[in-house]
Amino acid sequence: MTAQASSPAAVTSVFIRLKLSLLRNGLRQSGGRRAAYVASAVVVLLFAALQLIGLIALRGFAHGDSLVVLLVAVLGLGWAVMPLFFPGGDETLDPTRLVMLPLRPRPLVRALLAASLVGTGPLFTLCMLAGSVIAVAHGGAAFAVGVVGVVLALLLCATLARAVAAANVRLLTSRKGRDLAVLSGLVVAVGAQLVNFGAQRLGSSGLEQLDPAADVLRWVPPASAIGAVDAASDGSYGVAAAQLALTAAALVLLLRVWARHLTRLMTSPDGSTLQTDGRPARERSATGLARLLPAGRTGTTMERTLRYVWRDPKTKAAWVTSLAIGLIVPVFNAWQGTGSVYFACFAAGMLGIQMYNQFGQDTSAFWMVAMTISSTRDAYVELRARALALLLVTLPYATLVTVLTTAMLGDWRTLPEALGLSFALLGAMLATGAWTSARFPYSIPQEGHRNVAPGQVGLAWISIFGGMVGAALLCAPVIALTIWLNVSAGGDAWDWLLLPVGTVYGAGMTVLGLRLAAPQTARRLPEILTAVSKG
Amino acid sequence: MDASAVRVRGLWKRFGQQVAVAGIDLELPAGKFIGLVGPNGAGKTTTLSMVTGLLRPDQGSVEVVGHDVWRDPVEVKARIGVLPEGLRLFERLSGRELLAYSGRLRGLPGAEVDKRATQLLDVLDLAGAQHKLVVDYSTGMRKKIGLAAALLHNPEVLFLDEPFEGVDPVSAQTIRGVLERYTASGATVVFSSHVMELVESLCDWVAVMAAGRIRATGTLAEVRGEAPSLQQAFLELVGAGGRDAGSDLDWLGGGAR
């Protein structure tokens, strides 16, 4: 077997069969996972068919070519970042698994490339590329260019993913790589918001907005392949040939890079046998900040909480999502002229969520905190410190978002009441967050994308949604006052009053919430530890 | 002061149908190096968790240095150090930051914490890795930093759950050295293990646990009795002494036939 198997064609067929077995084995898992697997495949295929129809329908639209070029560029970007965010997605992506096999680089590259063209992802890409060609091609020559372009672009996408994976395999198999994978959910969440607003904006002001970007991108592979089709449709065959050549050159270059990394990977020791981090440790401590924080438990806990915002991938992902969405929603709405200053409260609400499930964020390391809490006072100081750490970020941020939204709308008269509402909401969120942290804690698994441990979903719902409804109800007096001042005759003159009222109300709520949560926390330490140790 | 470091009365813990700890009474003398031994699943971790206040018992009482763990946590928590098994540390802190955090959380003055942390990091051979995040530590290094955090406030009683599990011989020797020096000063160490040789070489007082009950307690010599080694005595105590696998696997070894 060894002698024949190393002939290039045989290696390629072995790898394709390996990929097919891996796909098939995806179906052979437990019922739930099989259902999820089939469902995701169906969704991808459905989506592929839909966008194919959509692209075909786009044919003949003015500036349709710009949209198509942009889509293909985004597709290429997707292929480039995918291996970084989903390193476990394709097991054949990790060439170090093949290191014990007697394989030469060239046949291996060919075989791996062929194998990476098997799957739903490449099928989706093929549909999209074919649809793009149909959308922009006019005339036989353009379609001929299109066929070549689709093949080149597909190969380019697959090679891009492989080359990125091979170049970063040491990162991907290390702890930092796994941290990065946890952050990928955030890219999806924030990206979805941006795409949403981008689409709205296009819908309102037309596709010609895309032209400047597309004019650059049609010279960037793999979008250049579609650029070539468009150029051929216009009769500029020289440009088309240049763009095709550019795509081909990029493909060759990437194949070279990939082959070189592959050879180096297969012939040098892999990451697991090397020291993970050989560099001398940097002084990471935020000594400047630490000096400004108060002494004792308050400062210590604040410092640890803030460090975790930056260093713990799960916490960081949650924070960045909150910060980004809290900014995007009010500011983008204002930018489109559809917003209102009150939307700025969204920032306070999103950030207030971070107070929820405080001890679950500690994971089972909560025992270190539990061992030092022996009275209600200790619990109160601990919770207060966590709330203060949050406020250190959220207070300036909510203010900034509110001012920014106001500035974009030019509605300065509403600023005080919007700020007052924001602070009242933030205070109510902190209060309910502290209380539900003590009463309904749940585990956050450290690996993967899930944010709730199996069996605790109900608990998480009570904690978050119950808390949010509670916070809204707690804010009711301030909201009522705002409405009353706005509708009553002469009330406008007193609008500014809402800023101090909201601030004091929010602060009062927070203190009250912490006071109520502290005895719960102190009494329930073992129960909280058990609840947060399931991840 | 009371002569016993830990006094346990009628301690029970059930997890659903499973009885993890079935009503144990235990009195551990102060100033001794005490081993809690038993096979996997004997209830050692559950017992230690309840004794240190990390798990609420269904029934029974626990006193540490004369104070009830559940009624008087202020007195107890300041006097004990814990290294649990299977629970995380704040792993996104560096070794030094973890010690600084846990010392200050216990109310020690900052300068004192930093002085003690430096000494502990030195003695435990972690000085070179003090700025590395704990998440990147090896098992041995994690146990050592956990031990350092447990010792930082100079507790009277130290509870260690499987402190040598998965630890390399060099780190194990370091941990041993620190623990021996600590007990020599009159403090009490209670540690759990299923490695009899280790317990025999380290401890002067032993409690044997199996299936949620205490089978024997006393000095090493008392528990060992007539048996040649603690291992032998232990196997007899838990009723596994007579089992011999020899007759079933008579085909195993001796070349292919």
Side-chain angles (χ1 to χ4, degrees), chain B residues 58-141:
Chain B
D58 294 339
Q59 240 176 293
S61 69
V62 181
E63 277 179 24
V64 177
V65 284
H67 300 279
D68 189 287
V69 170
W70 297 98
R71 275 198 300 269
D72 204 356
V74 181
E75 296 295 330
V76 173
K77 284 186 176 172
R79 288 184 165 83
I80 63 172
V82 185
L83 175 60
E85 161 77 7
L87 295 180
R88 290 170 200 265
L89 301 164
F90 281 105
E91 289 167 7
R92 300 283 165 166
L93 300 180
S94 70
R96 177 170 276 284
E97 286 165 0
L98 186 73
L99 295 186
Y101 170 72
S102 107
R104 284 175 172 84
L105 218 53
R106 285 187 175 275
L108 297 177
E112 181 65 21
V113 172
D114 293 338
K115 197 184 90 195
R116 291 186 188 184
T118 306
Q119 290 173 355
L120 279 167
L121 288 165
D122 262 341
V123 171
L124 287 167
D125 214 10
L126 287 170
Q130 59 175 320
H131 297 301
K132 222 160 116 174
L133 297 192
V134 175
V135 70
D136 292 327
Y137 277 18
S138 66
T139 310
M141 291 161 83

Side-chain angles (χ1 to χ4, degrees), chain B residues 198-209:
Chain B
L198 190 73
V199 174
E200 198 162 12
S201 69
L202 269 176
C203 300
D204 30 36
W205 209 91
V206 189
V208 180
M209 227 183 147

Side-chain angles (χ1 to χ4, degrees), chain A residues 235-299:
Chain A
S236 11
Y237 297 110
V239 175
Q243 282 169 332
L244 267 192
L246 189 65
T247 317
L251 176 60
V252 171
L253 185 74
L254 275 176
L255 278 171
R256 288 241 168 125
V257 170
W258 176 27
R260 220 188 49 226
H261 277 291
L262 206 54
T263 312
R264 197 189 310 154
L265 274 175
M266 304 294 254
T267 51
S268 57
D270 80 274
S272 62
T273 55
L274 294 174
Q275 279 292 326
T276 43
D277 198 340
R279 291 169 295 154
R282 287 169 287 149
E283 272 296 337
R284 297 172 201 253
S285 57
T287 37
L289 178 67
R291 233 171 271 135
L292 295 176
L293 294 173
R297 183 187 284 274
T298 305

Side-chain angles (χ1 to χ4, degrees), chain B residues 3-218:
Chain B
S4 62
V6 179
R7 183 178 290 147
V8 175
R9 291 265 174 275
L11 200 63
W12 278 87
K13 186 72 193 178
R14 293 178 194 79
F15 295 109
Q17 294 292 313
Q18 165 112 23
V19 179
V21 173
I24 62 174
D25 296 305
L26 194 57
E27 205 145 320
L28 304 178
K32 293 271 197 299
F33 207 129
I34 298 162
L36 181 62
V37 298
N40 292 329
K44 303 187 295 288
T45 296
T46 310
T47 304
L48 283 183
S49 301
M50 288 192 286
V51 168
T52 51
L54 292 175
L55 181 70
R56 199 184 297 281
D58 294 339
Q59 240 176 293
S61 69
V62 181
E63 277 179 24
V64 177
V65 284
H67 300 279
D68 189 287
V69 170
W70 297 98
R71 275 198 300 269
D72 204 356
V74 181
E75 296 295 330
V76 173
K77 284 186 176 172
R79 288 184 165 83
I80 63 172
V82 185
L83 175 60
E85 161 77 7
L87 295 180
R88 290 170 200 265
L89 301 164
F90 281 105
E91 289 167 7
R92 300 283 165 166
L93 300 180
S94 70
R96 177 170 276 284
E97 286 165 0
L98 186 73
L99 295 186
Y101 170 72
S102 107
R104 284 175 172 84
L105 218 53
R106 285 187 175 275
L108 297 177
E112 181 65 21
V113 172
D114 293 338
K115 197 184 90 195
R116 291 186 188 184
T118 306
Q119 290 173 355
L120 279 167
L121 288 165
D122 262 341
V123 171
L124 287 167
D125 214 10
L126 287 170
Q130 59 175 320
H131 297 301
K132 222 160 116 174
L133 297 192
V134 175
V135 70
D136 292 327
Y137 277 18
S138 66
T139 310
M141 291 161 83
R142 272 169 207 244
K143 294 274 187 196
K144 287 194 287 185
I145 200 72
L147 179 65
L151 283 171
L152 201 59
H153 56 292
N154 188 25
E156 285 175 39
V157 189
L158 187 61
F159 296 93
L160 311 168
D161 197 356
E162 301 280 2
F164 298 99
E165 187 78 354
V167 176
D168 64 281
V170 179
S171 298
Q173 192 52 44
T174 314
I175 294 178
R176 236 178 124 140
V178 171
L179 292 181
E180 274 164 351
R181 195 194 302 183
Y182 172 70
T183 40
S185 70
T188 313
V189 172
V190 181
F191 86 101
S192 77
S193 178
H194 56 250
V195 184
M196 298 304 146
E197 291 80 0
L198 190 73
V199 174
E200 198 162 12
S201 69
L202 269 176
C203 300
D204 30 36
W205 209 91
V206 189
V208 180
M209 227 183 147
R213 291 173 194 281
I214 298 291
R215 295 301 170 91
T217 55

Side-chain angles (χ1 to χ4, degrees), chain A residues 21-30 33-34 37-38:
Chain A
S21 321
L22 285 170
L23 286 175
R24 218 174 19 243
N25 289 349
L27 288 169
R28 237 188 264 162
Q29 290 155 347
S30 67
R33 286 182 69 176
R34 189 187 307 152
Y37 187 87
V38 173

